[in-house]
PDB file of all heavy atoms in Angstrom:
ATOM      1  N   PHE A 172     -19.710 -48.238 -22.975  1.00  0.00           N
ATOM      2  CA  PHE A 172     -20.564 -49.376 -23.517  1.00  0.00           C
ATOM      3  C   PHE A 172     -21.692 -49.777 -22.662  1.00  0.00           C
ATOM      4  O   PHE A 172     -22.795 -50.105 -23.094  1.00  0.00           O
ATOM      5  CB  PHE A 172     -19.551 -50.571 -23.844  1.00  0.00           C
ATOM      6  CG  PHE A 172     -18.560 -50.345 -24.730  1.00  0.00           C
ATOM      7  CD1 PHE A 172     -17.244 -50.819 -24.587  1.00  0.00           C
ATOM      8  CD2 PHE A 172     -18.782 -49.548 -25.915  1.00  0.00           C
ATOM      9  CE1 PHE A 172     -16.248 -50.510 -25.531  1.00  0.00           C
ATOM     10  CE2 PHE A 172     -17.778 -49.350 -26.863  1.00  0.00           C
ATOM     11  CZ  PHE A 172     -16.408 -49.827 -26.694  1.00  0.00           C
ATOM     12  N   ARG A 173     -21.389 -49.751 -21.377  1.00  0.00           N
ATOM     13  CA  ARG A 173     -22.480 -50.125 -20.416  1.00  0.00           C
ATOM     14  C   ARG A 173     -23.673 -49.127 -20.479  1.00  0.00           C
ATOM     15  O   ARG A 173     -24.856 -49.487 -20.444  1.00  0.00           O
ATOM     16  CB  ARG A 173     -21.890 -50.269 -19.051  1.00  0.00           C
ATOM     17  CG  ARG A 173     -22.886 -50.923 -17.998  1.00  0.00           C
ATOM     18  CD  ARG A 173     -22.097 -51.287 -16.738  1.00  0.00           C
ATOM     19  NE  ARG A 173     -21.361 -52.367 -16.878  1.00  0.00           N
ATOM     20  CZ  ARG A 173     -20.535 -52.868 -15.937  1.00  0.00           C
ATOM     21  NH1 ARG A 173     -20.505 -52.299 -14.752  1.00  0.00           N
ATOM     22  NH2 ARG A 173     -19.643 -53.964 -16.106  1.00  0.00           N
ATOM     23  N   ARG A 174     -23.372 -47.869 -20.583  1.00  0.00           N
ATOM     24  CA  ARG A 174     -24.457 -46.865 -20.707  1.00  0.00           C
ATOM     25  C   ARG A 174     -25.175 -46.983 -21.992  1.00  0.00           C
ATOM     26  O   ARG A 174     -26.465 -46.809 -21.979  1.00  0.00           O
ATOM     27  CB  ARG A 174     -23.683 -45.390 -20.695  1.00  0.00           C
ATOM     28  CG  ARG A 174     -24.584 -44.254 -20.702  1.00  0.00           C
ATOM     29  CD  ARG A 174     -25.090 -43.954 -19.240  1.00  0.00           C
ATOM     30  NE  ARG A 174     -26.321 -43.147 -19.344  1.00  0.00           N
ATOM     31  CZ  ARG A 174     -26.413 -41.811 -19.359  1.00  0.00           C
ATOM     32  NH1 ARG A 174     -25.180 -41.128 -19.543  1.00  0.00           N
ATOM     33  NH2 ARG A 174     -27.491 -41.222 -19.384  1.00  0.00           N
ATOM     34  N   LEU A 175     -24.532 -47.452 -23.067  1.00  0.00           N
ATOM     35  CA  LEU A 175     -25.312 -47.556 -24.286  1.00  0.00           C
ATOM     36  C   LEU A 175     -26.236 -48.792 -24.183  1.00  0.00           C
ATOM     37  O   LEU A 175     -27.362 -48.696 -24.647  1.00  0.00           O
ATOM     38  CB  LEU A 175     -24.306 -47.858 -25.500  1.00  0.00           C
ATOM     39  CG  LEU A 175     -25.113 -47.636 -26.880  1.00  0.00           C
ATOM     40  CD1 LEU A 175     -25.431 -46.221 -27.120  1.00  0.00           C
ATOM     41  CD2 LEU A 175     -24.257 -48.261 -28.080  1.00  0.00           C
ATOM     42  N   ALA A 176     -25.756 -49.890 -23.541  1.00  0.00           N
ATOM     43  CA  ALA A 176     -26.610 -51.067 -23.265  1.00  0.00           C
ATOM     44  C   ALA A 176     -27.900 -50.600 -22.441  1.00  0.00           C
ATOM     45  O   ALA A 176     -28.998 -51.075 -22.633  1.00  0.00           O
ATOM     46  CB  ALA A 176     -25.804 -52.155 -22.658  1.00  0.00           C
ATOM     47  N   GLU A 177     -27.592 -49.715 -21.493  1.00  0.00           N
ATOM     48  CA  GLU A 177     -28.712 -49.315 -20.643  1.00  0.00           C
ATOM     49  C   GLU A 177     -29.752 -48.495 -21.408  1.00  0.00           C
ATOM     50  O   GLU A 177     -30.978 -48.691 -21.337  1.00  0.00           O
ATOM     51  CB  GLU A 177     -28.078 -48.440 -19.552  1.00  0.00           C
ATOM     52  CG  GLU A 177     -29.106 -47.906 -18.470  1.00  0.00           C
ATOM     53  CD  GLU A 177     -28.352 -46.868 -17.537  1.00  0.00           C
ATOM     54  OE1 GLU A 177     -27.189 -47.104 -17.128  1.00  0.00           O
ATOM     55  OE2 GLU A 177     -29.050 -45.882 -17.289  1.00  0.00           O
ATOM     56  N   CYS A 178     -29.192 -47.655 -22.226  1.00  0.00           N
ATOM     57  CA  CYS A 178     -30.138 -46.790 -23.243  1.00  0.00           C
ATOM     58  C   CYS A 178     -31.024 -47.720 -24.102  1.00  0.00           C
ATOM     59  O   CYS A 178     -32.141 -47.475 -24.210  1.00  0.00           O
ATOM     60  CB  CYS A 178     -29.252 -45.983 -24.212  1.00  0.00           C
ATOM     61  SG  CYS A 178     -28.783 -44.418 -23.685  1.00  0.00           S
ATOM     62  N   LYS A 179     -30.354 -48.780 -24.602  1.00  0.00           N
ATOM     63  CA  LYS A 179     -31.059 -49.756 -25.373  1.00  0.00           C
ATOM     64  C   LYS A 179     -32.241 -50.396 -24.606  1.00  0.00           C
ATOM     65  O   LYS A 179     -33.291 -50.541 -25.176  1.00  0.00           O
ATOM     66  CB  LYS A 179     -30.067 -50.907 -25.888  1.00  0.00           C
ATOM     67  CG  LYS A 179     -30.744 -52.139 -26.462  1.00  0.00           C
ATOM     68  CD  LYS A 179     -29.609 -53.097 -26.902  1.00  0.00           C
ATOM     69  CE  LYS A 179     -30.039 -54.449 -27.277  1.00  0.00           C
ATOM     70  NZ  LYS A 179     -30.069 -55.394 -26.138  1.00  0.00           N
ATOM     71  N   ARG A 180     -31.944 -50.769 -23.425  1.00  0.00           N
ATOM     72  CA  ARG A 180     -33.052 -51.405 -22.637  1.00  0.00           C
ATOM     73  C   ARG A 180     -34.227 -50.417 -22.397  1.00  0.00           C
ATOM     74  O   ARG A 180     -35.380 -50.802 -22.420  1.00  0.00           O
ATOM     75  CB  ARG A 180     -32.509 -51.868 -21.237  1.00  0.00           C
ATOM     76  CG  ARG A 180     -31.666 -53.078 -21.282  1.00  0.00           C
ATOM     77  CD  ARG A 180     -31.468 -53.760 -19.922  1.00  0.00           C
ATOM     78  NE  ARG A 180     -30.551 -52.902 -19.124  1.00  0.00           N
ATOM     79  CZ  ARG A 180     -29.272 -52.877 -19.113  1.00  0.00           C
ATOM     80  NH1 ARG A 180     -28.628 -53.609 -19.912  1.00  0.00           N
ATOM     81  NH2 ARG A 180     -28.642 -52.011 -18.266  1.00  0.00           N
ATOM     82  N   HIS A 181     -33.957 -49.182 -22.262  1.00  0.00           N
ATOM     83  CA  HIS A 181     -34.953 -48.113 -22.156  1.00  0.00           C
ATOM     84  C   HIS A 181     -35.791 -48.039 -23.441  1.00  0.00           C
ATOM     85  O   HIS A 181     -37.029 -47.907 -23.347  1.00  0.00           O
ATOM     86  CB  HIS A 181     -34.430 -46.799 -21.700  1.00  0.00           C
ATOM     87  CG  HIS A 181     -33.911 -46.695 -20.320  1.00  0.00           C
ATOM     88  ND1 HIS A 181     -32.851 -45.809 -19.928  1.00  0.00           N
ATOM     89  CD2 HIS A 181     -34.112 -47.546 -19.254  1.00  0.00           C
ATOM     90  CE1 HIS A 181     -32.691 -46.092 -18.626  1.00  0.00           C
ATOM     91  NE2 HIS A 181     -33.271 -47.030 -18.234  1.00  0.00           N
ATOM     92  N   VAL A 182     -35.095 -48.061 -24.485  1.00  0.00           N
ATOM     93  CA  VAL A 182     -35.865 -48.055 -25.820  1.00  0.00           C
ATOM     94  C   VAL A 182     -36.701 -49.255 -25.998  1.00  0.00           C
ATOM     95  O   VAL A 182     -37.874 -49.158 -26.278  1.00  0.00           O
ATOM     96  CB  VAL A 182     -34.886 -47.927 -26.992  1.00  0.00           C
ATOM     97  CG1 VAL A 182     -35.662 -47.844 -28.301  1.00  0.00           C
ATOM     98  CG2 VAL A 182     -34.068 -46.611 -26.886  1.00  0.00           C
ATOM     99  N   GLN A 183     -36.183 -50.362 -25.658  1.00  0.00           N
ATOM    100  CA  GLN A 183     -36.892 -51.676 -25.779  1.00  0.00           C
ATOM    101  C   GLN A 183     -38.146 -51.687 -24.980  1.00  0.00           C
ATOM    102  O   GLN A 183     -39.162 -52.266 -25.318  1.00  0.00           O
ATOM    103  CB  GLN A 183     -35.991 -52.814 -25.463  1.00  0.00           C
ATOM    104  CG  GLN A 183     -34.936 -53.183 -26.556  1.00  0.00           C
ATOM    105  CD  GLN A 183     -34.060 -54.346 -26.164  1.00  0.00           C
ATOM    106  OE1 GLN A 183     -33.492 -54.386 -25.133  1.00  0.00           O
ATOM    107  NE2 GLN A 183     -33.966 -55.301 -27.131  1.00  0.00           N
ATOM    108  N   ALA A 184     -37.982 -50.983 -23.767  1.00  0.00           N
ATOM    109  CA  ALA A 184     -39.169 -51.078 -22.887  1.00  0.00           C
ATOM    110  C   ALA A 184     -40.358 -50.266 -23.395  1.00  0.00           C
ATOM    111  O   ALA A 184     -41.522 -50.441 -23.042  1.00  0.00           O
ATOM    112  CB  ALA A 184     -38.773 -50.409 -21.579  1.00  0.00           C
ATOM    113  N   LEU A 185     -40.172 -49.372 -24.479  1.00  0.00           N
ATOM    114  CA  LEU A 185     -41.240 -48.702 -25.052  1.00  0.00           C
ATOM    115  C   LEU A 185     -42.030 -49.606 -25.936  1.00  0.00           C
ATOM    116  O   LEU A 185     -43.166 -49.295 -26.306  1.00  0.00           O
ATOM    117  CB  LEU A 185     -40.683 -47.525 -25.895  1.00  0.00           C
ATOM    118  CG  LEU A 185     -39.906 -46.461 -25.268  1.00  0.00           C
ATOM    119  CD1 LEU A 185     -39.219 -45.509 -26.341  1.00  0.00           C
ATOM    120  CD2 LEU A 185     -40.710 -45.731 -24.246  1.00  0.00           C
ATOM    121  N   GLN A 186     -41.407 -50.787 -26.379  1.00  0.00           N
ATOM    122  CA  GLN A 186     -42.040 -51.641 -27.152  1.00  0.00           C
ATOM    123  C   GLN A 186     -42.697 -51.061 -28.474  1.00  0.00           C
ATOM    124  O   GLN A 186     -43.825 -51.316 -28.901  1.00  0.00           O
ATOM    125  CB  GLN A 186     -43.221 -52.426 -26.468  1.00  0.00           C
ATOM    126  CG  GLN A 186     -42.529 -53.216 -25.273  1.00  0.00           C
ATOM    127  CD  GLN A 186     -43.489 -54.231 -24.698  1.00  0.00           C
ATOM    128  OE1 GLN A 186     -44.522 -53.872 -24.159  1.00  0.00           O
ATOM    129  NE2 GLN A 186     -43.112 -55.519 -24.700  1.00  0.00           N
ATOM    130  N   LEU A 187     -41.919 -50.241 -29.154  1.00  0.00           N
ATOM    131  CA  LEU A 187     -42.364 -49.634 -30.468  1.00  0.00           C
ATOM    132  C   LEU A 187     -42.064 -50.586 -31.550  1.00  0.00           C
ATOM    133  O   LEU A 187     -41.058 -51.187 -31.675  1.00  0.00           O
ATOM    134  CB  LEU A 187     -41.610 -48.322 -30.642  1.00  0.00           C
ATOM    135  CG  LEU A 187     -41.822 -47.284 -29.589  1.00  0.00           C
ATOM    136  CD1 LEU A 187     -40.752 -46.180 -29.744  1.00  0.00           C
ATOM    137  CD2 LEU A 187     -43.167 -46.757 -29.552  1.00  0.00           C
ATOM    138  N   GLU A 188     -43.117 -50.788 -32.412  1.00  0.00           N
ATOM    139  CA  GLU A 188     -43.033 -51.777 -33.506  1.00  0.00           C
ATOM    140  C   GLU A 188     -41.891 -51.337 -34.510  1.00  0.00           C
ATOM    141  O   GLU A 188     -41.151 -52.241 -35.017  1.00  0.00           O
ATOM    142  CB  GLU A 188     -44.309 -51.892 -34.214  1.00  0.00           C
ATOM    143  CG  GLU A 188     -44.482 -53.178 -34.831  1.00  0.00           C
ATOM    144  CD  GLU A 188     -45.917 -53.339 -35.502  1.00  0.00           C
ATOM    145  OE1 GLU A 188     -46.910 -52.893 -34.833  1.00  0.00           O
ATOM    146  OE2 GLU A 188     -45.983 -53.713 -36.572  1.00  0.00           O
ATOM    147  N   TYR A 189     -41.731 -50.054 -34.682  1.00  0.00           N
ATOM    148  CA  TYR A 189     -40.746 -49.656 -35.660  1.00  0.00           C
ATOM    149  C   TYR A 189     -39.288 -49.437 -34.974  1.00  0.00           C
ATOM    150  O   TYR A 189     -38.338 -49.093 -35.626  1.00  0.00           O
ATOM    151  CB  TYR A 189     -41.064 -48.237 -36.324  1.00  0.00           C
ATOM    152  CG  TYR A 189     -41.145 -47.146 -35.382  1.00  0.00           C
ATOM    153  CD1 TYR A 189     -40.071 -46.324 -34.954  1.00  0.00           C
ATOM    154  CD2 TYR A 189     -42.340 -46.885 -34.551  1.00  0.00           C
ATOM    155  CE1 TYR A 189     -40.198 -45.248 -34.073  1.00  0.00           C
ATOM    156  CE2 TYR A 189     -42.496 -45.808 -33.614  1.00  0.00           C
ATOM    157  CZ  TYR A 189     -41.434 -45.157 -33.399  1.00  0.00           C
ATOM    158  OH  TYR A 189     -41.415 -44.072 -32.475  1.00  0.00           O
ATOM    159  N   ALA A 190     -39.183 -49.698 -33.710  1.00  0.00           N
ATOM    160  CA  ALA A 190     -37.933 -49.562 -32.963  1.00  0.00           C
ATOM    161  C   ALA A 190     -37.706 -50.750 -32.028  1.00  0.00           C
ATOM    162  O   ALA A 190     -37.639 -50.536 -30.810  1.00  0.00           O
ATOM    163  CB  ALA A 190     -37.907 -48.246 -32.269  1.00  0.00           C
ATOM    164  N   PRO A 191     -37.493 -51.934 -32.563  1.00  0.00           N
ATOM    165  CA  PRO A 191     -37.278 -53.059 -31.688  1.00  0.00           C
ATOM    166  C   PRO A 191     -35.904 -52.971 -30.976  1.00  0.00           C
ATOM    167  O   PRO A 191     -35.831 -53.463 -29.834  1.00  0.00           O
ATOM    168  CB  PRO A 191     -37.130 -54.310 -32.767  1.00  0.00           C
ATOM    169  CG  PRO A 191     -36.995 -53.666 -34.039  1.00  0.00           C
ATOM    170  CD  PRO A 191     -37.548 -52.325 -34.100  1.00  0.00           C
ATOM    171  N   CYS A 192     -34.938 -52.232 -31.526  1.00  0.00           N
ATOM    172  CA  CYS A 192     -33.744 -51.890 -30.834  1.00  0.00           C
ATOM    173  C   CYS A 192     -33.105 -53.178 -30.150  1.00  0.00           C
ATOM    174  O   CYS A 192     -32.741 -53.103 -28.995  1.00  0.00           O
ATOM    175  CB  CYS A 192     -34.028 -50.793 -29.866  1.00  0.00           C
ATOM    176  SG  CYS A 192     -32.539 -49.807 -29.523  1.00  0.00           S
ATOM    177  N   ASN A 193     -32.868 -54.144 -30.960  1.00  0.00           N
ATOM    178  CA  ASN A 193     -32.216 -55.395 -30.449  1.00  0.00           C
ATOM    179  C   ASN A 193     -30.693 -55.355 -30.476  1.00  0.00           C
ATOM    180  O   ASN A 193     -30.013 -56.154 -29.975  1.00  0.00           O
ATOM    181  CB  ASN A 193     -32.701 -56.584 -31.292  1.00  0.00           C
ATOM    182  CG  ASN A 193     -34.204 -56.771 -31.223  1.00  0.00           C
ATOM    183  OD1 ASN A 193     -34.863 -56.649 -30.239  1.00  0.00           O
ATOM    184  ND2 ASN A 193     -34.825 -57.020 -32.432  1.00  0.00           N
ATOM    185  N   GLU A 194     -30.197 -54.461 -31.334  1.00  0.00           N
ATOM    186  CA  GLU A 194     -28.709 -54.493 -31.623  1.00  0.00           C
ATOM    187  C   GLU A 194     -27.970 -53.445 -30.934  1.00  0.00           C
ATOM    188  O   GLU A 194     -28.541 -52.306 -30.680  1.00  0.00           O
ATOM    189  CB  GLU A 194     -28.577 -54.302 -33.141  1.00  0.00           C
ATOM    190  CG  GLU A 194     -29.396 -55.285 -34.059  1.00  0.00           C
ATOM    191  CD  GLU A 194     -28.814 -56.628 -34.214  1.00  0.00           C
ATOM    192  OE1 GLU A 194     -27.631 -56.916 -33.737  1.00  0.00           O
ATOM    193  OE2 GLU A 194     -29.486 -57.446 -34.756  1.00  0.00           O
ATOM    194  N   LEU A 195     -26.681 -53.725 -30.632  1.00  0.00           N
ATOM    195  CA  LEU A 195     -25.801 -52.777 -30.147  1.00  0.00           C
ATOM    196  C   LEU A 195     -24.562 -52.763 -31.066  1.00  0.00           C
ATOM    197  O   LEU A 195     -23.793 -53.710 -31.019  1.00  0.00           O
ATOM    198  CB  LEU A 195     -25.371 -53.038 -28.725  1.00  0.00           C
ATOM    199  CG  LEU A 195     -26.289 -52.631 -27.559  1.00  0.00           C
ATOM    200  CD1 LEU A 195     -25.801 -53.277 -26.264  1.00  0.00           C
ATOM    201  CD2 LEU A 195     -26.517 -51.146 -27.508  1.00  0.00           C
ATOM    202  N   SER A 196     -24.352 -51.658 -31.817  1.00  0.00           N
ATOM    203  CA  SER A 196     -23.196 -51.478 -32.692  1.00  0.00           C
ATOM    204  C   SER A 196     -22.078 -50.769 -31.892  1.00  0.00           C
ATOM    205  O   SER A 196     -22.259 -49.560 -31.814  1.00  0.00           O
ATOM    206  CB  SER A 196     -23.561 -50.810 -33.977  1.00  0.00           C
ATOM    207  OG  SER A 196     -22.453 -50.457 -34.604  1.00  0.00           O
ATOM    208  N   MET A 197     -21.188 -51.557 -31.355  1.00  0.00           N
ATOM    209  CA  MET A 197     -20.163 -50.845 -30.522  1.00  0.00           C
ATOM    210  C   MET A 197     -18.935 -51.798 -30.406  1.00  0.00           C
ATOM    211  O   MET A 197     -19.071 -52.969 -30.403  1.00  0.00           O
ATOM    212  CB  MET A 197     -20.721 -50.541 -29.104  1.00  0.00           C
ATOM    213  CG  MET A 197     -21.178 -51.648 -28.244  1.00  0.00           C
ATOM    214  SD  MET A 197     -21.958 -51.051 -26.758  1.00  0.00           S
ATOM    215  CE  MET A 197     -22.069 -52.569 -25.726  1.00  0.00           C
ATOM    216  N   GLY A 198     -17.806 -51.154 -30.413  1.00  0.00           N
ATOM    217  CA  GLY A 198     -16.511 -51.941 -30.297  1.00  0.00           C
ATOM    218  C   GLY A 198     -15.799 -51.861 -31.728  1.00  0.00           C
ATOM    219  O   GLY A 198     -16.397 -52.092 -32.699  1.00  0.00           O
ATOM    220  N   MET A 199     -14.461 -51.433 -31.594  1.00  0.00           N
ATOM    221  CA  MET A 199     -13.569 -51.327 -32.828  1.00  0.00           C
ATOM    222  C   MET A 199     -12.414 -52.161 -32.502  1.00  0.00           C
ATOM    223  O   MET A 199     -12.339 -52.894 -31.588  1.00  0.00           O
ATOM    224  CB  MET A 199     -13.330 -49.833 -33.077  1.00  0.00           C
ATOM    225  CG  MET A 199     -14.572 -48.969 -32.955  1.00  0.00           C
ATOM    226  SD  MET A 199     -14.622 -47.355 -33.719  1.00  0.00           S
ATOM    227  CE  MET A 199     -12.974 -46.659 -33.581  1.00  0.00           C
ATOM    228  N   SER A 200     -11.339 -51.996 -33.351  1.00  0.00           N
ATOM    229  CA  SER A 200     -10.130 -52.743 -33.204  1.00  0.00           C
ATOM    230  C   SER A 200      -9.557 -52.829 -31.769  1.00  0.00           C
ATOM    231  O   SER A 200      -9.115 -53.919 -31.207  1.00  0.00           O
ATOM    232  CB  SER A 200      -9.059 -52.267 -34.123  1.00  0.00           C
ATOM    233  OG  SER A 200      -9.458 -52.555 -35.399  1.00  0.00           O
ATOM    234  N   ASN A 201      -9.559 -51.701 -31.099  1.00  0.00           N
ATOM    235  CA  ASN A 201      -8.890 -51.567 -29.845  1.00  0.00           C
ATOM    236  C   ASN A 201      -9.796 -51.927 -28.634  1.00  0.00           C
ATOM    237  O   ASN A 201      -9.302 -52.047 -27.508  1.00  0.00           O
ATOM    238  CB  ASN A 201      -8.266 -50.253 -29.594  1.00  0.00           C
ATOM    239  CG  ASN A 201      -7.145 -49.984 -30.509  1.00  0.00           C
ATOM    240  OD1 ASN A 201      -6.361 -50.863 -30.788  1.00  0.00           O
ATOM    241  ND2 ASN A 201      -7.052 -48.773 -31.041  1.00  0.00           N
ATOM    242  N   ASP A 202     -11.107 -51.996 -28.830  1.00  0.00           N
ATOM    243  CA  ASP A 202     -12.007 -52.181 -27.687  1.00  0.00           C
ATOM    244  C   ASP A 202     -13.085 -53.137 -27.848  1.00  0.00           C
ATOM    245  O   ASP A 202     -14.013 -53.144 -27.045  1.00  0.00           O
ATOM    246  CB  ASP A 202     -12.452 -50.863 -27.182  1.00  0.00           C
ATOM    247  CG  ASP A 202     -13.200 -50.062 -28.404  1.00  0.00           C
ATOM    248  OD1 ASP A 202     -13.624 -50.734 -29.290  1.00  0.00           O
ATOM    249  OD2 ASP A 202     -13.279 -48.816 -28.267  1.00  0.00           O
ATOM    250  N   PHE A 203     -13.029 -53.968 -28.846  1.00  0.00           N
ATOM    251  CA  PHE A 203     -14.218 -54.861 -29.176  1.00  0.00           C
ATOM    252  C   PHE A 203     -14.549 -55.920 -28.145  1.00  0.00           C
ATOM    253  O   PHE A 203     -15.558 -56.304 -27.922  1.00  0.00           O
ATOM    254  CB  PHE A 203     -14.121 -55.471 -30.551  1.00  0.00           C
ATOM    255  CG  PHE A 203     -13.029 -56.471 -30.811  1.00  0.00           C
ATOM    256  CD1 PHE A 203     -13.391 -57.907 -30.540  1.00  0.00           C
ATOM    257  CD2 PHE A 203     -11.770 -56.164 -31.229  1.00  0.00           C
ATOM    258  CE1 PHE A 203     -12.313 -58.815 -30.741  1.00  0.00           C
ATOM    259  CE2 PHE A 203     -10.775 -57.168 -31.396  1.00  0.00           C
ATOM    260  CZ  PHE A 203     -11.075 -58.463 -31.095  1.00  0.00           C
ATOM    261  N   GLU A 204     -13.385 -56.330 -27.415  1.00  0.00           N
ATOM    262  CA  GLU A 204     -13.598 -57.364 -26.393  1.00  0.00           C
ATOM    263  C   GLU A 204     -14.447 -56.824 -25.291  1.00  0.00           C
ATOM    264  O   GLU A 204     -15.322 -57.448 -24.782  1.00  0.00           O
ATOM    265  CB  GLU A 204     -12.350 -57.905 -26.020  1.00  0.00           C
ATOM    266  CG  GLU A 204     -11.657 -58.786 -27.112  1.00  0.00           C
ATOM    267  CD  GLU A 204     -10.088 -58.980 -26.857  1.00  0.00           C
ATOM    268  OE1 GLU A 204      -9.540 -57.981 -27.116  1.00  0.00           O
ATOM    269  OE2 GLU A 204      -9.678 -60.089 -26.602  1.00  0.00           O
ATOM    270  N   ILE A 205     -14.070 -55.548 -24.824  1.00  0.00           N
ATOM    271  CA  ILE A 205     -14.862 -54.964 -23.761  1.00  0.00           C
ATOM    272  C   ILE A 205     -16.412 -54.690 -24.262  1.00  0.00           C
ATOM    273  O   ILE A 205     -17.295 -54.933 -23.468  1.00  0.00           O
ATOM    274  CB  ILE A 205     -14.197 -53.630 -23.332  1.00  0.00           C
ATOM    275  CG1 ILE A 205     -12.739 -53.821 -22.940  1.00  0.00           C
ATOM    276  CG2 ILE A 205     -14.961 -52.980 -22.078  1.00  0.00           C
ATOM    277  CD1 ILE A 205     -11.977 -52.479 -22.653  1.00  0.00           C
TER     278      ILE A 205
END
Side-chain angles (χ1 to χ4, degrees):
F172 296 138
R173 193 166 285 179
R174 184 82 199 276
L175 194 71
E177 184 190 316
C178 270
K179 166 180 167 270
R180 286 193 295 276
H181 290 158
V182 178
Q183 287 179 309
L185 300 175
Q186 298 192 303
L187 300 170
E188 207 174 316
Y189 65 90
C192 207
N193 301 316
E194 309 279 351
L195 279 174
S196 168
M197 57 187 195
M199 319 199 321
S200 290
N201 290 323
D202 55 22
F203 70 90
E204 289 158 289
I205 305 173

